[in-house]
Amino acid sequence: MSTCTTVSRDLDEPMPGTAATATTWLLLEQPGPWGAKALTSSHLDPALGRALEAAAQGTGVRVALIRRPGPHADFGTAAVRQVYAAHTVPGGVWLRGATTDDPGRLLDVDFAALGRGDHRSFDTALDARAHTGDPLALVCTNGKRDRCCALLGRPLAAELSAGGVDGVWEVTHLGGHRFSPTVLVLPYGYAYGRAQAHSVEEVLNGAREGRVVVDGCRGNSAWERPGQAAELAVRRAIGEYAAEALSVVRTRGEAPRWEVTVAHVDGRHWGVVVTQGASLPPRPESCGAAVLGAPARLDVVAVRERRPAVLVG
């Protein structure tokens, strides 16, 4: 059976620069079935879902629903739900956790502050604490968005969970379903595509040690997509895998060409040229697409270290 995922893999569509963008992720446990737009088409109160969408608009916060791997027959709403918030911008990375029996308390959170990396209102509203367990692996499994997410994502989440990997959750939407199974790893915010259980375990082992695995990586959600591609290119060029070593400090230009400045914590800088083109030949961008498309692809065409000016006097 041909799917958008098999076509993307067969055509070797590049993945860097395709991650969802969010400086902060806000995750709410919601058992049971999810619709295509899960915040308003699950057993979460749709009025609350709409209010959360509105509160997050323009703040850098992305709200998603999570659930434990396994069967999803509806046995009623969970009395106590897990909630996480994670800020992914290097130099200010954190992951906070809480439980609540009233998800409406999320509306007491200052979403603008949360997007900037200030978790105080989240802590106050939900009595949250720093997460001290293993990194989180969020596997997209929402088949109502695209069947590949269910066909490929759910078995991956189940395999990881059955193998004793802690921190595994199913999540509603990470984008890029043609790269299924897709996985987001928190707290650092790096997304992966075409994932397999052994590769996810390698990524999680790295995250525990503060390292990034670049193979199969789509990018860091903290950056816009040209920055995602540029940062990964610098990592490969210099062999730098420390999770918070690099930051995207400037992006100039617009499609189809950007000049991105990537900075190292040690003071070094690189100029990276990123171009946008179309992925050809045309292919289904999702399994439900009625027409063929040519999804945008980002290519890094130059990586140059910028040497500091030497003053002569």
Side-chain angles (χ1 to χ4, degrees), residues 269-293:
H269 288 72
W270 289 265
V272 184
V273 178
V274 181
T275 61
Q276 177 178 296
S279 294
L280 297 174
R283 79 286 305 273
E285 295 187 57
S286 67
C287 288
V291 297
L292 299 181

Side-chain angles (χ1 to χ4, degrees), residues 35-60:
K37 296 183 178 180
L39 280 177
T40 54
S41 55
S42 69
H43 287 180
L44 181 70
D45 180 353
L48 174 58
R50 287 190 292 270
L52 290 171
E53 288 179 332
Q57 187 70 30
T59 65

Side-chain angles (χ1 to χ4, degrees), residues 114-137:
L114 198 65
R116 295 192 302 268
D118 182 346
H119 54 71
R120 288 175 294 180
S121 68
F122 177 77
D123 293 351
T124 299
L126 291 112
D127 193 25
R129 298 289 186 271
H131 176 72
T132 57
D134 285 330
L136 304 185

Side-chain angles (χ1 to χ4, degrees), residues 165-193:
V165 178
D166 291 329
V168 178
W169 293 85
E170 298 186 13
V171 68
T172 46
H173 185 48
L174 297 178
H177 33 248
R178 64 189 183 278
F179 303 121
S180 295
T182 59
V183 180
L184 176 73
V185 175
L186 296 175
Y188 298 113
Y190 285 87
Y192 294 83

Side-chain angles (χ1 to χ4, degrees), residues 17-297:
T18 66
T21 57
T23 55
T24 304
W25 291 82
L26 180 59
L27 308 169
L28 170 64
E29 183 179 3
Q30 177 57 56
W34 298 332
K37 296 183 178 180
L39 280 177
T40 54
S41 55
S42 69
H43 287 180
L44 181 70
D45 180 353
L48 174 58
R50 287 190 292 270
L52 290 171
E53 288 179 332
Q57 187 70 30
T59 65
V61 177
R62 188 176 177 111
V63 185
L65 303 182
I66 57 175
R67 64 190 177 195
R68 299 287 184 180
H72 300 301
D74 185 17
F75 298 112
T77 300
V80 178
R81 306 162 188 245
Q82 180 68 48
V83 184
Y84 294 107
H87 190 62
T88 63
V89 177
V93 168
W94 48 256
L95 175 59
R96 315 286 289 181
T99 58
T100 184
D101 59 4
D102 178 11
R105 293 170 65 186
L106 288 171
L107 296 178
D108 295 330
V109 174
D110 183 337
F111 277 68
L114 198 65
R116 295 192 302 268
D118 182 346
H119 54 71
R120 288 175 294 180
S121 68
F122 177 77
D123 293 351
T124 299
L126 291 112
D127 193 25
R129 298 289 186 271
H131 176 72
T132 57
D134 285 330
L136 304 185
L138 309 175
V139 183
C140 185
T141 63
N142 191 351
K144 294 296 177 66
R145 300 279 312 193
D146 190 280
R147 64 180 177 175
C148 286
C149 297
L151 290 173
L152 301 173
R154 290 191 64 188
L156 174 63
E159 181 179 357
L160 289 166
S161 180
V165 178
D166 291 329
V168 178
W169 293 85
E170 298 186 13
V171 68
T172 46
H173 185 48
L174 297 178
H177 33 248
R178 64 189 183 278
F179 303 121
S180 295
T182 59
V183 180
L184 176 73
V185 175
L186 296 175
Y188 298 113
Y190 285 87
Y192 294 83
R194 302 175 187 144
Q196 299 180 45
H198 68 86
S199 64
V200 175
E201 291 184 40
E202 181 184 358
V203 169
L204 290 173
N205 287 335
R208 291 185 192 98
E209 299 170 358
R211 293 185 294 105
V212 175
V213 173
V214 298
D215 290 343
C217 191
R218 300 173 60 197
N220 186 335
S221 73
W223 315 125
E224 295 298 322
R225 292 183 175 180
Q228 295 173 9
E231 188 242 26
L232 287 175
V234 172
R235 285 192 178 279
R236 289 186 180 276
I238 67 172
E240 176 58 82
Y241 306 112
E244 295 189 76
L246 298 178
S247 294
V248 175
V249 296
R250 181 179 301 160
T251 301
R252 290 180 173 173
E254 58 187 23
R257 187 181 188 277
W258 298 267
E259 295 183 7
V260 181
T261 302
V262 177
H264 195 286
V265 290
D266 66 10
R268 288 179 291 166
H269 288 72
W270 289 265
V272 184
V273 178
V274 181
T275 61
Q276 177 178 296
S279 294
L280 297 174
R283 79 286 305 273
E285 295 187 57
S286 67
C287 288
V291 297
L292 299 181
R297 58 177 286 164

